[in-house]
Amino acid sequence: MIPLSVPNLSGNEWKYVKDCLDTNWVSSVGSYVNQFEELAAKFSSVTRAVATVNGTSALHISLILSGVQRDDLVILPNITFVAPANVIKYMGADPILMDVDEHTWQLDIALLTRFFEQECLIKEDTCHHKNTGRRISAIIPVHVLGNMVNMEKLLPLADYYKIKVIEDATEALGSTYKGKPAGSFGLFGCLSYNGNKIITTGGGGMILTNDKELGEKAKHLTTQAKADPLEYYHDEIGYNYRLVNILAAIGVAQMEQLPAFIDRKRNVSELYTRELKDVPGFKPQVITEHVNPNCWLFTCCFENSKGLLKYLNDNGVQTRPFWVPMNQLPPFKNDLYFHVDDIAGSVYKSCLSMPCSTNISDKEVIEVSNKIKEFYA
Ligand SMILES: Cc1ncc(COP(=O)(O)O)c(C=O)c1O
């Protein structure tokens, strides 16, 4: 089976993990956590990075520190992995699902603008949703598949409507918009080091911010809000969300290889695009203008994609459907979905993700492409 997207642990992972085991620094403190945070901040051009147990917890803390309250509304694209939608619910808030652009599959900025103009008003320095009277406190632009939302258009809108921006950059580590890294635009940016991501720590995440005070608070909240170095004095409700040293050691080794991984992902994407260009209904994701994507997970539309999905999985090629749009999932089906044509629904129906691990060979990419052509022959 050619796998979809698996870890590539070919660098110093063993060496650094062995160092943790040899020195007994395996748990919640240790020098690799600090090193990993410093490397992450530098790579993403932010002043502070706080390592967490996963991307979901990074999003959770970011929403808390953005001031999202119970009964608030938070804007989210309808096409996303479910984690940010869940996190909104953890807060006692609800998502406003926004349809996506039919070409880039990112949150549709023109639609978002229309939503603000038609459905929102600013009252006492706060954005309110006219129909429900509820406060809209934040937006989570998800940089879907390593492509990016047009941040140059989104930021002034969010600023005008007084809502906080928390970037879900979990899939976009290494992607840039006009040279500026994903995750460095919002009040917070969140990364994931889950096993299928461009680099992995097995499980892990990172909160990125340029706000010194909020960075300190993020560290405080992720470490049980312990406010005294000696006494067990906790000054607010904290979370045990800190990444352990042994996983951060893997993260440091992975960061050393990240530029090479990004290059490889881009090459794989180019090779697939070349090989598949004549396949029926083949439509790759269009990259947002000014974005240099990390090409994290090669995903594209085909004719009869569900038939192809079965054929490839039955024939040694691990292929995955795109995420079911949030409005079609039971926990979110009653939430507001702002759309005209339900682009999310049609993208979901026709898209598939192809094997594209950083250690996939060109020969395997061609083998997958030939299997696809065989299906349509
Ligand atoms: C868009 C998106 N958001 C959030 C997450 C959550 O990250 P994690 O699995 O590390 O909690 C993921 C990936 O898993 C993701 O793809």
Side-chain angles (χ1 to χ4, degrees):
M1 180 66 105
I2 302 177
L4 185 75
S5 182
V6 290
N8 183 346
L9 304 165
S10 52
N12 285 317
E13 290 81 4
W14 272 111
K15 187 172 156 200
Y16 298 161
V17 168
K18 184 171 184 307
D19 185 34
C20 294
L21 298 177
D22 288 344
T23 57
N24 223 19
W25 288 101
V26 295
S27 192
S28 53
V29 284
S31 63
Y32 285 107
V33 174
N34 300 341
Q35 267 188 67
F36 190 33
E37 289 177 344
E38 277 161 26
L39 286 170
K42 189 156 179 263
F43 187 87
S44 295
S45 303
V46 294
T47 53
R48 188 70 202 260
V50 176
T52 57
V53 286
N54 49 43
T56 307
S57 58
L59 285 162
H60 190 193
I61 295 294
S62 299
L63 284 200
I64 293 171
L65 291 177
S66 298
V68 173
Q69 304 277 321
R70 176 164 292 281
D71 293 330
D72 278 359
L73 296 169
V74 176
I75 301 169
L76 183 74
N78 194 25
I79 284 225
T80 172
F81 178 64
V82 72
N86 283 337
V87 168
I88 293 168
K89 296 283 185 182
Y90 300 167
M91 302 299 298
D94 292 310
I96 295 177
L97 302 168
M98 192 63 51
D99 205 2
V100 297
D101 177 84
E102 66 176 308
H103 304 292
T104 64
W105 314 337
Q106 312 296 304
L107 192 141
D108 183 337
I109 299 282
L111 190 70
L112 176 69
T113 310
R114 198 172 336 146
F115 170 76
F116 278 133
E117 287 169 1
Q118 289 175 0
E119 306 232 352
C120 301
L121 58 87
I122 302 171
K123 205 169 60 187
E124 290 158 5
D125 236 22
T126 310
C127 183
H128 289 269
H129 181 233
K130 282 192 230 168
N131 278 353
T132 59
R134 294 169 73 180
R135 182 172 89 127
I136 304 176
S137 50
I139 181 165
I140 306 180
V142 180
H143 300 309
V144 175
L145 300 169
N147 190 6
M148 286 178 70
V149 177
N150 183 329
M151 294 308 289
E152 206 169 49
K153 288 192 174 151
L154 185 133
L155 289 178
L157 265 179
D159 196 43
Y160 181 82
Y161 285 95
K162 321 271 182 212
I163 59 175
K164 302 283 176 16
V165 178
I166 299 115
E167 283 176 86
D168 183 332
T170 50
E171 300 176 356
L173 175 60
S175 305
T176 57
Y177 179 90
K178 288 196 173 171
K180 195 169 148 55
S184 68
F185 290 85
L187 184 59
F188 293 102
C190 298
L191 302 177
S192 163
Y193 307 112
N194 177 31
N196 66 6
K197 294 298 183 289
I198 193 155
I199 63 167
T200 185
T201 56
M206 196 70 77
I207 301 168
L208 306 173
T209 185
N210 280 309
D211 187 309
K212 192 167 180 288
E213 202 181 320
L214 288 174
E216 284 308 311
K217 281 195 171 163
K219 183 65 130 189
H220 187 59
L221 283 188
T222 53
T223 52
Q224 301 282 28
K226 189 165 180 283
D228 186 279
L230 193 59
E231 295 290 337
Y232 289 96
Y233 182 76
H234 305 265
D235 60 358
E236 57 190 307
I237 296 188
Y239 299 82
N240 185 11
Y241 278 177
R242 187 177 201 190
L243 189 73
V244 292
N245 201 45
I246 198 163
L247 295 184
I250 299 176
V252 170
Q254 290 272 287
M255 282 302 286
E256 293 168 355
Q257 300 162 86
L258 178 55
F261 288 175
I262 297 168
D263 282 350
R264 182 62 193 145
K265 287 277 188 188
R266 288 177 180 156
N267 292 340
V268 167
S269 171
E270 272 169 29
L271 187 52
Y272 269 128
T273 308
R274 219 173 34 238
E275 286 293 315
L276 297 175
K277 65 180 187 329
D278 296 327
V279 164
F282 173 68
K283 213 177 102 191
Q285 183 184 31
V286 172
I287 301 306
T288 308
E289 206 185 356
H290 306 302
V291 169
N292 192 8
N294 68 356
C295 300
W296 165 60
L297 191 66
F298 186 77
T299 304
C300 46
C301 299
F302 294 98
E303 252 171 55
N304 183 13
S305 71
K306 297 296 175 201
L308 179 62
L309 175 71
K310 183 167 180 340
Y311 182 77
L312 291 176
N313 281 304
D314 287 348
N315 285 279
V317 177
Q318 192 182 31
T319 316
R320 287 282 174 265
F322 212 8
W323 308 297
V324 176
M326 295 303 100
N327 74 309
Q328 296 184 28
L329 301 179
F332 312 106
K333 70 176 190 318
N334 295 326
D335 290 310
L336 199 128
Y337 174 27
F338 197 73
H339 64 289
V340 179
D341 287 327
D342 188 24
I343 302 293
S346 37
V347 170
Y348 158 63
K349 274 193 214 138
S350 56
C351 276
L352 297 182
S353 301
M354 297 294 147
C356 59
S357 310
T358 51
N359 46 20
I360 194 171
S361 65
D362 283 4
K363 194 168 155 272
E364 285 171 316
V365 173
I366 291 168
E367 198 180 316
V368 173
S369 305
N370 286 343
K371 285 253 154 60
I372 295 171
K373 290 174 197 166
E374 207 174 275
F375 174 75
Y376 290 103

